[in-house]
Amino acid sequence: MLIETELTPNPATIKFLPGREVMGTGTRDFATPEEAEASPLADALFGLGDVTGVFFGGHFISVTIAPGSEWSDVKPDVLATLLEHFSANMPLFTPGSAAGISVPSDADSFTDAPEDAEIVEQIRELIDTRVRPAVANDGGDIIYRGFDKGTVYLKMQGACSGCPSSTATLKNGIEQLLKHYVPEVTEVRAV
């Protein structure tokens, strides 16, 4: 089995492509070792010590390392962990009952005003069709969190979270795109 790697705009994050589906639908972001306990793979990656973030996309895994860590030291262990997991066809998530499932909090979500429904629909469509595919190429994801008085709130995940160029992407890319197609948008902010 060959696992390809791609650099991302975030120097602390590398995108690993195992040549097979990782998540059938959706994405999953693990920001702490406690969150990673839901996945044997994420748990093993955090167990390496230098890993501070794991993100599962459709056909990739993005791994983020701690400041001061060097990819030249960590990459062989990450690759070995991924090879072992995928070669053994291990499950991505720990099987369990509904009692063991925790749903991430939407504390950073906003309730959209009913009168903004058409605007929100346009924003969501642009994000899903134009923004998310481009961001996935860089090993991350952007999730819509709300629209309030002209401001669009987005959550950045994976390689996008903590990326030095994420502010430029947000302001110069996403904000300009949304303003062009949806005149009601005045600003885009990360939450």
Side-chain angles (χ1 to χ4, degrees), residues 18 37 52 63 69 79 89 104 128 154 157 165 185:
E37 291 174 2
T52 59
V63 178
S69 298
L79 283 168
N89 290 317
D128 288 342
L154 302 173
Q157 296 181 316
S165 62
V185 173

Side-chain angles (χ1 to χ4, degrees), residues 8-92:
T8 71
N10 184 347
T13 304
I14 290 183
K15 182 176 169 183
F16 294 86
L17 300 115
R20 62 174 67 174
E21 184 177 86
V22 176
M23 293 278 295
T25 57
T27 60
R28 182 70 190 265
D29 193 29
F30 302 95
T32 66
E34 293 75 27
E35 290 175 7
E37 291 174 2
S39 167
L41 178 56
D43 193 41
L45 290 167
F46 268 95
L48 297 175
D50 292 314
V51 173
T52 59
V54 175
F55 180 80
F56 295 157
H59 290 86
F60 68 89
I61 299 107
S62 292
V63 178
T64 304
I65 58 172
S69 298
E70 295 293 330
W71 269 113
S72 58
D73 298 331
V74 181
K75 190 175 177 182
D77 293 334
V78 170
L79 283 168
T81 301
L82 293 173
L83 277 168
E84 181 181 331
H85 178 86
F86 286 108
S87 295
N89 290 317
M90 295 170 64
L92 197 57

Side-chain angles (χ1 to χ4, degrees), residues 47-159:
L48 297 175
D50 292 314
V51 173
T52 59
V54 175
F55 180 80
F56 295 157
H59 290 86
F60 68 89
I61 299 107
S62 292
V63 178
T64 304
I65 58 172
S69 298
E70 295 293 330
W71 269 113
S72 58
D73 298 331
V74 181
K75 190 175 177 182
D77 293 334
V78 170
L79 283 168
T81 301
L82 293 173
L83 277 168
E84 181 181 331
H85 178 86
F86 286 108
S87 295
N89 290 317
M90 295 170 64
L92 197 57
F93 294 100
T94 306
S97 68
I101 297 173
S102 72
V103 177
S105 167
D106 280 343
D108 57 1
S109 290
F110 301 84
T111 303
D112 294 320
E115 62 270 16
D116 292 334
E118 189 175 312
I119 296 167
V120 168
E121 184 178 331
Q122 290 175 326
I123 293 167
R124 283 180 176 269
E125 183 177 338
L126 284 166
I127 290 169
D128 288 342
T129 60
R130 306 280 292 280
V131 177
R132 291 182 80 200
V135 172
N137 285 336
D138 287 339
D141 198 7
I142 292 185
I143 308 297
Y144 172 85
R145 286 298 186 210
F147 176 74
D148 184 40
K149 298 178 184 116
T151 301
V152 177
Y153 296 92
L154 302 173
K155 180 174 183 175
M156 304 178 98
Q157 296 181 316

